[in-house]
Amino acid sequence: MNVRRVESISAQLEEASSTGDSVEDELEMATVRHRPEALELLEAQSKFTKKELQILYRGFKNECPSGVVNEDTFKEIYSQFFPQGDSTTYAHFLFNAFDTDHNGAVSFEDFIKGLSILLRGTVQEKLNWAFNLYDINKDGYITKEEMLDIMKAIYDMMGKCTYPVLKEDAPRQHVETFFQKMDKNKDGVVTIDEFIESCQKVSNDSKGTIPFASLTAELSPASQPP
């Protein structure tokens, strides 16, 4: 999720108490192709309250009346937040991270479980989620090529509106720097342990630049112009 989208969702949750109507009946009676799990179960599996889940479900259903979102629809929705760039490739990788059972669709349950980690997960949970994002082929390792593919997608998504303006070879330079730090045993791949250890140290070593873990979660390789 990008930082603006996360902030928007957080603001909606903060305003949840302002409405007294309930969507419990809507959850029970909705004639959609996919029926969400009971709110009580989702509440137990996430870090959202029942009221927050009701608000999130209403927004999800507005965007996806069928109850699930396929990759094309996901890309279309995501592109609205990055009109200055091309978010297609990054949205593909992000969709795969949310589609945990790899069935080609993201359900409300998939969405909630991922969002719960991104918004309210522990550092360890967020780093595990980030590793899964970068591990494109899901073999338990991150290669330099996988990291570069993700980084290029992020820079393409940000377009020409980053500040300061980024050089064309910035993604590769960024990857070379991080991969060298992460690949402790120099075997050409990064394991989950190497990834987590390195991400936790980057903030102190980067002297003010955005930490790798933060870049992963916020999807922003550079700050937006003021």
mmCIF file of all heavy atoms in Angstrom, residues 158-199:
data_model
loop_
_atom_site.group_PDB
_atom_site.id
_atom_site.type_symbol
_atom_site.label_atom_id
_atom_site.label_comp_id
_atom_site.label_asym_id
_atom_site.label_seq_id
_atom_site.Cartn_x
_atom_site.Cartn_y
_atom_site.Cartn_z
ATOM 1 N N MET A 158 6.416 6.156 -9.338
ATOM 2 C CA MET A 158 6.575 7.516 -8.842
ATOM 3 C C MET A 158 6.686 8.533 -9.970
ATOM 4 O O MET A 158 6.450 9.722 -9.766
ATOM 5 C CB MET A 158 7.813 7.609 -7.950
ATOM 6 C CG MET A 158 7.765 6.714 -6.708
ATOM 7 S SD MET A 158 6.280 6.924 -5.712
ATOM 8 C CE MET A 158 6.466 8.626 -5.176
ATOM 9 N N GLY A 159 7.058 8.088 -11.172
ATOM 10 C CA GLY A 159 7.107 8.979 -12.315
ATOM 11 C C GLY A 159 8.171 10.044 -12.186
ATOM 12 O O GLY A 159 9.219 9.843 -11.569
ATOM 13 N N LYS A 160 7.889 11.212 -12.728
ATOM 14 C CA LYS A 160 8.861 12.302 -12.745
ATOM 15 C C LYS A 160 8.601 13.330 -11.655
ATOM 16 O O LYS A 160 9.137 14.440 -11.684
ATOM 17 C CB LYS A 160 8.841 12.989 -14.114
ATOM 18 C CG LYS A 160 9.216 12.056 -15.262
ATOM 19 C CD LYS A 160 9.170 12.775 -16.600
ATOM 20 C CE LYS A 160 9.567 11.840 -17.737
ATOM 21 N NZ LYS A 160 9.516 12.513 -19.062
ATOM 22 N N CYS A 161 7.759 12.954 -10.704
ATOM 23 C CA CYS A 161 7.371 13.908 -9.671
ATOM 24 C C CYS A 161 8.140 13.725 -8.370
ATOM 25 O O CYS A 161 7.749 14.246 -7.338
ATOM 26 C CB CYS A 161 5.864 13.809 -9.402
ATOM 27 S SG CYS A 161 4.857 14.268 -10.817
ATOM 28 N N THR A 162 9.219 12.948 -8.394
ATOM 29 C CA THR A 162 10.012 12.783 -7.191
ATOM 30 C C THR A 162 10.926 13.976 -6.986
ATOM 31 O O THR A 162 11.267 14.696 -7.931
ATOM 32 C CB THR A 162 10.858 11.501 -7.273
ATOM 33 O OG1 THR A 162 11.627 11.521 -8.477
ATOM 34 C CG2 THR A 162 9.973 10.279 -7.249
ATOM 35 N N TYR A 163 11.309 14.185 -5.762
ATOM 36 C CA TYR A 163 12.209 15.305 -5.448
ATOM 37 C C TYR A 163 13.265 14.833 -4.474
ATOM 38 O O TYR A 163 12.936 14.294 -3.421
ATOM 39 C CB TYR A 163 11.415 16.460 -4.828
ATOM 40 C CG TYR A 163 12.281 17.648 -4.482
ATOM 41 C CD1 TYR A 163 12.618 18.585 -5.453
ATOM 42 C CD2 TYR A 163 12.763 17.810 -3.179
ATOM 43 C CE1 TYR A 163 13.416 19.666 -5.140
ATOM 44 C CE2 TYR A 163 13.563 18.883 -2.860
ATOM 45 C CZ TYR A 163 13.885 19.816 -3.848
ATOM 46 O OH TYR A 163 14.685 20.880 -3.536
ATOM 47 N N PRO A 164 14.559 14.994 -4.815
ATOM 48 C CA PRO A 164 15.060 15.544 -6.063
ATOM 49 C C PRO A 164 14.849 14.600 -7.245
ATOM 50 O O PRO A 164 14.541 13.424 -7.043
ATOM 51 C CB PRO A 164 16.557 15.724 -5.779
ATOM 52 C CG PRO A 164 16.853 14.670 -4.759
ATOM 53 C CD PRO A 164 15.624 14.573 -3.898
ATOM 54 N N VAL A 165 15.034 15.098 -8.460
ATOM 55 C CA VAL A 165 14.832 14.286 -9.650
ATOM 56 C C VAL A 165 15.841 13.143 -9.646
ATOM 57 O O VAL A 165 17.024 13.318 -9.353
ATOM 58 C CB VAL A 165 15.009 15.143 -10.929
ATOM 59 C CG1 VAL A 165 14.883 14.272 -12.174
ATOM 60 C CG2 VAL A 165 13.975 16.255 -10.957
ATOM 61 N N LEU A 166 15.355 11.952 -9.945
ATOM 62 C CA LEU A 166 16.190 10.754 -9.873
ATOM 63 C C LEU A 166 16.882 10.472 -11.200
ATOM 64 O O LEU A 166 16.314 10.689 -12.268
ATOM 65 C CB LEU A 166 15.319 9.559 -9.485
ATOM 66 C CG LEU A 166 14.603 9.687 -8.143
ATOM 67 C CD1 LEU A 166 13.556 8.589 -8.011
ATOM 68 C CD2 LEU A 166 15.582 9.633 -6.996
ATOM 69 N N LYS A 167 18.102 9.972 -11.102
ATOM 70 C CA LYS A 167 18.838 9.592 -12.293
ATOM 71 C C LYS A 167 18.280 8.279 -12.841
ATOM 72 O O LYS A 167 17.685 7.491 -12.118
ATOM 73 C CB LYS A 167 20.323 9.436 -11.963
ATOM 74 C CG LYS A 167 20.998 10.722 -11.515
ATOM 75 C CD LYS A 167 22.472 10.489 -11.224
ATOM 76 C CE LYS A 167 23.149 11.775 -10.768
ATOM 77 N NZ LYS A 167 24.586 11.551 -10.456
ATOM 78 N N GLU A 168 18.525 8.051 -14.127
ATOM 79 C CA GLU A 168 17.967 6.868 -14.780
ATOM 80 C C GLU A 168 18.484 5.573 -14.164
ATOM 81 O O GLU A 168 17.762 4.574 -14.099
ATOM 82 C CB GLU A 168 18.298 6.903 -16.276
ATOM 83 C CG GLU A 168 17.615 5.809 -17.078
ATOM 84 C CD GLU A 168 17.839 5.959 -18.572
ATOM 85 O OE1 GLU A 168 18.313 7.034 -18.994
ATOM 86 O OE2 GLU A 168 17.553 5.011 -19.307
ATOM 87 N N ASP A 169 19.744 5.583 -13.708
ATOM 88 C CA ASP A 169 20.306 4.363 -13.144
ATOM 89 C C ASP A 169 20.117 4.275 -11.628
ATOM 90 O O ASP A 169 20.716 3.415 -10.967
ATOM 91 C CB ASP A 169 21.795 4.254 -13.487
ATOM 92 C CG ASP A 169 22.617 5.403 -12.902
ATOM 93 O OD1 ASP A 169 22.015 6.413 -12.475
ATOM 94 O OD2 ASP A 169 23.858 5.288 -12.880
ATOM 95 N N ALA A 170 19.273 5.155 -11.059
ATOM 96 C CA ALA A 170 19.051 5.169 -9.612
ATOM 97 C C ALA A 170 18.550 3.833 -9.066
ATOM 98 O O ALA A 170 19.035 3.382 -8.018
ATOM 99 C CB ALA A 170 18.091 6.294 -9.239
ATOM 100 N N PRO A 171 17.587 3.160 -9.723
ATOM 101 C CA PRO A 171 17.123 1.873 -9.183
ATOM 102 C C PRO A 171 18.242 0.852 -9.048
ATOM 103 O O PRO A 171 18.359 0.173 -8.021
ATOM 104 C CB PRO A 171 16.067 1.422 -10.199
ATOM 105 C CG PRO A 171 15.590 2.683 -10.828
ATOM 106 C CD PRO A 171 16.791 3.572 -10.903
ATOM 107 N N ARG A 172 19.079 0.743 -10.083
ATOM 108 C CA ARG A 172 20.165 -0.243 -10.035
ATOM 109 C C ARG A 172 21.179 0.113 -8.950
ATOM 110 O O ARG A 172 21.659 -0.767 -8.216
ATOM 111 C CB ARG A 172 20.868 -0.342 -11.399
ATOM 112 C CG ARG A 172 21.936 -1.423 -11.454
ATOM 113 C CD ARG A 172 22.446 -1.601 -12.872
ATOM 114 N NE ARG A 172 21.428 -2.095 -13.762
ATOM 115 C CZ ARG A 172 21.071 -3.362 -13.866
ATOM 116 N NH1 ARG A 172 21.668 -4.293 -13.109
ATOM 117 N NH2 ARG A 172 20.135 -3.740 -14.714
ATOM 118 N N GLN A 173 21.508 1.387 -8.821
ATOM 119 C CA GLN A 173 22.439 1.810 -7.778
ATOM 120 C C GLN A 173 21.865 1.520 -6.394
ATOM 121 O O GLN A 173 22.582 1.072 -5.488
ATOM 122 C CB GLN A 173 22.742 3.300 -7.924
ATOM 123 C CG GLN A 173 23.584 3.654 -9.147
ATOM 124 C CD GLN A 173 23.865 5.139 -9.246
ATOM 125 O OE1 GLN A 173 23.322 5.937 -8.482
ATOM 126 N NE2 GLN A 173 24.713 5.518 -10.188
ATOM 127 N N HIS A 174 20.575 1.790 -6.242
ATOM 128 C CA HIS A 174 19.898 1.534 -4.969
ATOM 129 C C HIS A 174 19.982 0.057 -4.617
ATOM 130 O O HIS A 174 20.306 -0.316 -3.478
ATOM 131 C CB HIS A 174 18.439 1.978 -5.101
ATOM 132 C CG HIS A 174 17.803 2.344 -3.802
ATOM 133 N ND1 HIS A 174 16.703 3.160 -3.711
ATOM 134 C CD2 HIS A 174 18.092 1.997 -2.529
ATOM 135 C CE1 HIS A 174 16.357 3.292 -2.438
ATOM 136 N NE2 HIS A 174 17.177 2.596 -1.709
ATOM 137 N N VAL A 175 19.701 -0.797 -5.579
ATOM 138 C CA VAL A 175 19.729 -2.236 -5.360
ATOM 139 C C VAL A 175 21.138 -2.726 -5.049
ATOM 140 O O VAL A 175 21.343 -3.549 -4.150
ATOM 141 C CB VAL A 175 19.153 -2.983 -6.578
ATOM 142 C CG1 VAL A 175 19.446 -4.480 -6.490
ATOM 143 C CG2 VAL A 175 17.653 -2.745 -6.669
ATOM 144 N N GLU A 176 22.117 -2.247 -5.795
ATOM 145 C CA GLU A 176 23.507 -2.665 -5.561
ATOM 146 C C GLU A 176 23.916 -2.365 -4.125
ATOM 147 O O GLU A 176 24.560 -3.184 -3.458
ATOM 148 C CB GLU A 176 24.448 -1.948 -6.539
ATOM 149 C CG GLU A 176 24.347 -2.405 -7.982
ATOM 150 C CD GLU A 176 24.879 -3.818 -8.204
ATOM 151 O OE1 GLU A 176 25.586 -4.334 -7.319
ATOM 152 O OE2 GLU A 176 24.580 -4.397 -9.257
ATOM 153 N N THR A 177 23.548 -1.184 -3.646
ATOM 154 C CA THR A 177 23.905 -0.780 -2.285
ATOM 155 C C THR A 177 23.262 -1.689 -1.250
ATOM 156 O O THR A 177 23.930 -2.205 -0.343
ATOM 157 C CB THR A 177 23.484 0.676 -2.025
ATOM 158 O OG1 THR A 177 24.170 1.528 -2.940
ATOM 159 C CG2 THR A 177 23.813 1.088 -0.602
ATOM 160 N N PHE A 178 21.955 -1.901 -1.378
ATOM 161 C CA PHE A 178 21.234 -2.698 -0.390
ATOM 162 C C PHE A 178 21.606 -4.171 -0.478
ATOM 163 O O PHE A 178 21.751 -4.842 0.546
ATOM 164 C CB PHE A 178 19.731 -2.520 -0.556
ATOM 165 C CG PHE A 178 19.209 -1.264 0.068
ATOM 166 C CD1 PHE A 178 18.605 -0.284 -0.701
ATOM 167 C CD2 PHE A 178 19.314 -1.044 1.436
ATOM 168 C CE1 PHE A 178 18.127 0.876 -0.133
ATOM 169 C CE2 PHE A 178 18.839 0.107 2.015
ATOM 170 C CZ PHE A 178 18.237 1.077 1.232
ATOM 171 N N PHE A 179 21.747 -4.687 -1.691
ATOM 172 C CA PHE A 179 22.028 -6.109 -1.837
ATOM 173 C C PHE A 179 23.394 -6.454 -1.256
ATOM 174 O O PHE A 179 23.577 -7.509 -0.639
ATOM 175 C CB PHE A 179 21.955 -6.533 -3.305
ATOM 176 C CG PHE A 179 21.659 -7.994 -3.497
ATOM 177 C CD1 PHE A 179 20.349 -8.443 -3.548
ATOM 178 C CD2 PHE A 179 22.682 -8.919 -3.603
ATOM 179 C CE1 PHE A 179 20.059 -9.790 -3.704
ATOM 180 C CE2 PHE A 179 22.409 -10.273 -3.759
ATOM 181 C CZ PHE A 179 21.094 -10.705 -3.808
ATOM 182 N N GLN A 180 24.352 -5.567 -1.439
ATOM 183 C CA GLN A 180 25.682 -5.793 -0.889
ATOM 184 C C GLN A 180 25.633 -5.892 0.636
ATOM 185 O O GLN A 180 26.338 -6.704 1.246
ATOM 186 C CB GLN A 180 26.631 -4.666 -1.312
ATOM 187 C CG GLN A 180 28.069 -4.868 -0.863
ATOM 188 C CD GLN A 180 28.991 -3.768 -1.365
ATOM 189 O OE1 GLN A 180 28.548 -2.814 -1.997
ATOM 190 N NE2 GLN A 180 30.275 -3.907 -1.095
ATOM 191 N N LYS A 181 24.785 -5.065 1.250
ATOM 192 C CA LYS A 181 24.653 -5.090 2.708
ATOM 193 C C LYS A 181 23.873 -6.322 3.189
ATOM 194 O O LYS A 181 24.150 -6.867 4.257
ATOM 195 C CB LYS A 181 23.943 -3.829 3.194
ATOM 196 C CG LYS A 181 24.742 -2.552 3.007
ATOM 197 C CD LYS A 181 23.959 -1.351 3.505
ATOM 198 C CE LYS A 181 24.764 -0.064 3.336
ATOM 199 N NZ LYS A 181 24.009 1.126 3.811
ATOM 200 N N MET A 182 22.902 -6.734 2.405
ATOM 201 C CA MET A 182 22.016 -7.812 2.839
ATOM 202 C C MET A 182 22.602 -9.199 2.641
ATOM 203 O O MET A 182 22.399 -10.088 3.475
ATOM 204 C CB MET A 182 20.680 -7.724 2.098
ATOM 205 C CG MET A 182 19.839 -6.543 2.509
ATOM 206 S SD MET A 182 18.241 -6.579 1.670
ATOM 207 C CE MET A 182 17.433 -5.198 2.480
ATOM 208 N N ASP A 183 23.292 -9.404 1.538
ATOM 209 C CA ASP A 183 23.817 -10.726 1.218
ATOM 210 C C ASP A 183 25.085 -10.971 2.043
ATOM 211 O O ASP A 183 26.206 -10.894 1.545
ATOM 212 C CB ASP A 183 24.108 -10.820 -0.283
ATOM 213 C CG ASP A 183 24.525 -12.214 -0.714
ATOM 214 O OD1 ASP A 183 24.353 -13.162 0.083
ATOM 215 O OD2 ASP A 183 25.024 -12.358 -1.844
ATOM 216 N N LYS A 184 24.889 -11.314 3.297
ATOM 217 C CA LYS A 184 25.996 -11.422 4.258
ATOM 218 C C LYS A 184 27.032 -12.464 3.841
ATOM 219 O O LYS A 184 28.234 -12.254 3.960
ATOM 220 C CB LYS A 184 25.456 -11.785 5.648
ATOM 221 C CG LYS A 184 24.456 -10.791 6.214
ATOM 222 C CD LYS A 184 25.097 -9.458 6.521
ATOM 223 C CE LYS A 184 24.105 -8.529 7.206
ATOM 224 N NZ LYS A 184 24.693 -7.200 7.489
ATOM 225 N N ASN A 185 26.571 -13.622 3.351
ATOM 226 C CA ASN A 185 27.512 -14.693 3.010
ATOM 227 C C ASN A 185 27.900 -14.697 1.534
ATOM 228 O O ASN A 185 28.569 -15.625 1.058
ATOM 229 C CB ASN A 185 26.949 -16.058 3.406
ATOM 230 C CG ASN A 185 25.642 -16.367 2.694
ATOM 231 O OD1 ASN A 185 25.145 -15.561 1.905
ATOM 232 N ND2 ASN A 185 25.076 -17.537 2.976
ATOM 233 N N LYS A 186 27.457 -13.680 0.803
ATOM 234 C CA LYS A 186 27.853 -13.491 -0.598
ATOM 235 C C LYS A 186 27.548 -14.705 -1.468
ATOM 236 O O LYS A 186 28.334 -15.084 -2.349
ATOM 237 C CB LYS A 186 29.353 -13.147 -0.697
ATOM 238 C CG LYS A 186 29.794 -12.004 0.198
ATOM 239 C CD LYS A 186 29.024 -10.730 -0.085
ATOM 240 C CE LYS A 186 29.455 -9.603 0.859
ATOM 241 N NZ LYS A 186 28.602 -8.391 0.726
ATOM 242 N N ASP A 187 26.369 -15.301 -1.255
ATOM 243 C CA ASP A 187 25.987 -16.455 -2.069
ATOM 244 C C ASP A 187 25.035 -16.076 -3.193
ATOM 245 O O ASP A 187 24.503 -16.944 -3.885
ATOM 246 C CB ASP A 187 25.377 -17.547 -1.196
ATOM 247 C CG ASP A 187 24.078 -17.110 -0.521
ATOM 248 O OD1 ASP A 187 23.751 -15.908 -0.587
ATOM 249 O OD2 ASP A 187 23.400 -17.965 0.088
ATOM 250 N N GLY A 188 24.787 -14.795 -3.361
ATOM 251 C CA GLY A 188 23.975 -14.333 -4.482
ATOM 252 C C GLY A 188 22.489 -14.265 -4.215
ATOM 253 O O GLY A 188 21.723 -13.868 -5.092
ATOM 254 N N VAL A 189 22.053 -14.629 -3.006
ATOM 255 C CA VAL A 189 20.643 -14.531 -2.634
ATOM 256 C C VAL A 189 20.533 -13.986 -1.218
ATOM 257 O O VAL A 189 21.474 -14.075 -0.430
ATOM 258 C CB VAL A 189 19.910 -15.892 -2.727
ATOM 259 C CG1 VAL A 189 19.866 -16.398 -4.152
ATOM 260 C CG2 VAL A 189 20.560 -16.911 -1.802
ATOM 261 N N VAL A 190 19.366 -13.421 -0.894
ATOM 262 C CA VAL A 190 19.104 -12.894 0.442
ATOM 263 C C VAL A 190 18.038 -13.756 1.096
ATOM 264 O O VAL A 190 16.946 -13.947 0.531
ATOM 265 C CB VAL A 190 18.636 -11.429 0.381
ATOM 266 C CG1 VAL A 190 18.188 -10.942 1.758
ATOM 267 C CG2 VAL A 190 19.748 -10.535 -0.158
ATOM 268 N N THR A 191 18.333 -14.283 2.264
ATOM 269 C CA THR A 191 17.371 -15.085 3.012
ATOM 270 C C THR A 191 16.504 -14.171 3.879
ATOM 271 O O THR A 191 16.790 -12.982 4.032
ATOM 272 C CB THR A 191 18.084 -16.090 3.919
ATOM 273 O OG1 THR A 191 18.827 -15.363 4.914
ATOM 274 C CG2 THR A 191 19.035 -16.967 3.116
ATOM 275 N N ILE A 192 15.449 -14.731 4.458
ATOM 276 C CA ILE A 192 14.565 -13.949 5.313
ATOM 277 C C ILE A 192 15.327 -13.409 6.521
ATOM 278 O O ILE A 192 15.121 -12.265 6.939
ATOM 279 C CB ILE A 192 13.346 -14.790 5.769
ATOM 280 C CG1 ILE A 192 12.411 -13.972 6.648
ATOM 281 C CG2 ILE A 192 13.799 -16.052 6.479
ATOM 282 C CD1 ILE A 192 11.730 -12.827 5.963
ATOM 283 N N ASP A 193 16.243 -14.194 7.082
ATOM 284 C CA ASP A 193 17.014 -13.735 8.234
ATOM 285 C C ASP A 193 17.946 -12.592 7.851
ATOM 286 O O ASP A 193 18.085 -11.613 8.597
ATOM 287 C CB ASP A 193 17.820 -14.891 8.833
ATOM 288 C CG ASP A 193 16.939 -15.948 9.493
ATOM 289 O OD1 ASP A 193 15.817 -15.594 9.906
ATOM 290 O OD2 ASP A 193 17.371 -17.108 9.592
ATOM 291 N N GLU A 194 18.605 -12.717 6.706
ATOM 292 C CA GLU A 194 19.494 -11.652 6.236
ATOM 293 C C GLU A 194 18.695 -10.382 5.957
ATOM 294 O O GLU A 194 19.136 -9.267 6.276
ATOM 295 C CB GLU A 194 20.224 -12.089 4.965
ATOM 296 C CG GLU A 194 21.284 -13.150 5.189
ATOM 297 C CD GLU A 194 21.895 -13.661 3.895
ATOM 298 O OE1 GLU A 194 21.167 -13.730 2.873
ATOM 299 O OE2 GLU A 194 23.089 -13.988 3.900
ATOM 300 N N PHE A 195 17.532 -10.543 5.364
ATOM 301 C CA PHE A 195 16.679 -9.410 5.023
ATOM 302 C C PHE A 195 16.257 -8.645 6.277
ATOM 303 O O PHE A 195 16.386 -7.425 6.357
ATOM 304 C CB PHE A 195 15.448 -9.920 4.273
ATOM 305 C CG PHE A 195 14.483 -8.855 3.833
ATOM 306 C CD1 PHE A 195 14.690 -8.148 2.662
ATOM 307 C CD2 PHE A 195 13.349 -8.570 4.586
ATOM 308 C CE1 PHE A 195 13.794 -7.175 2.245
ATOM 309 C CE2 PHE A 195 12.449 -7.600 4.183
ATOM 310 C CZ PHE A 195 12.675 -6.900 3.006
ATOM 311 N N ILE A 196 15.757 -9.371 7.255
ATOM 312 C CA ILE A 196 15.273 -8.733 8.481
ATOM 313 C C ILE A 196 16.413 -8.060 9.238
ATOM 314 O O ILE A 196 16.287 -6.909 9.681
ATOM 315 C CB ILE A 196 14.561 -9.766 9.373
ATOM 316 C CG1 ILE A 196 13.247 -10.200 8.724
ATOM 317 C CG2 ILE A 196 14.310 -9.200 10.769
ATOM 318 C CD1 ILE A 196 12.509 -11.288 9.464
ATOM 319 N N GLU A 197 17.532 -8.753 9.366
ATOM 320 C CA GLU A 197 18.675 -8.180 10.085
ATOM 321 C C GLU A 197 19.161 -6.897 9.416
ATOM 322 O O GLU A 197 19.431 -5.899 10.085
ATOM 323 C CB GLU A 197 19.815 -9.199 10.141
ATOM 324 C CG GLU A 197 21.046 -8.690 10.881
ATOM 325 C CD GLU A 197 22.191 -9.683 10.869
ATOM 326 O OE1 GLU A 197 21.976 -10.832 10.433
ATOM 327 O OE2 GLU A 197 23.302 -9.308 11.289
ATOM 328 N N SER A 198 19.246 -6.924 8.093
ATOM 329 C CA SER A 198 19.741 -5.757 7.362
ATOM 330 C C SER A 198 18.769 -4.586 7.428
ATOM 331 O O SER A 198 19.176 -3.441 7.616
ATOM 332 C CB SER A 198 19.998 -6.125 5.900
ATOM 333 O OG SER A 198 20.983 -7.127 5.799
ATOM 334 N N CYS A 199 17.480 -4.877 7.264
ATOM 335 C CA CYS A 199 16.473 -3.815 7.299
ATOM 336 C C CYS A 199 16.456 -3.104 8.647
ATOM 337 O O CYS A 199 16.258 -1.891 8.719
ATOM 338 C CB CYS A 199 15.092 -4.376 6.997
ATOM 339 S SG CYS A 199 14.826 -4.798 5.274
#
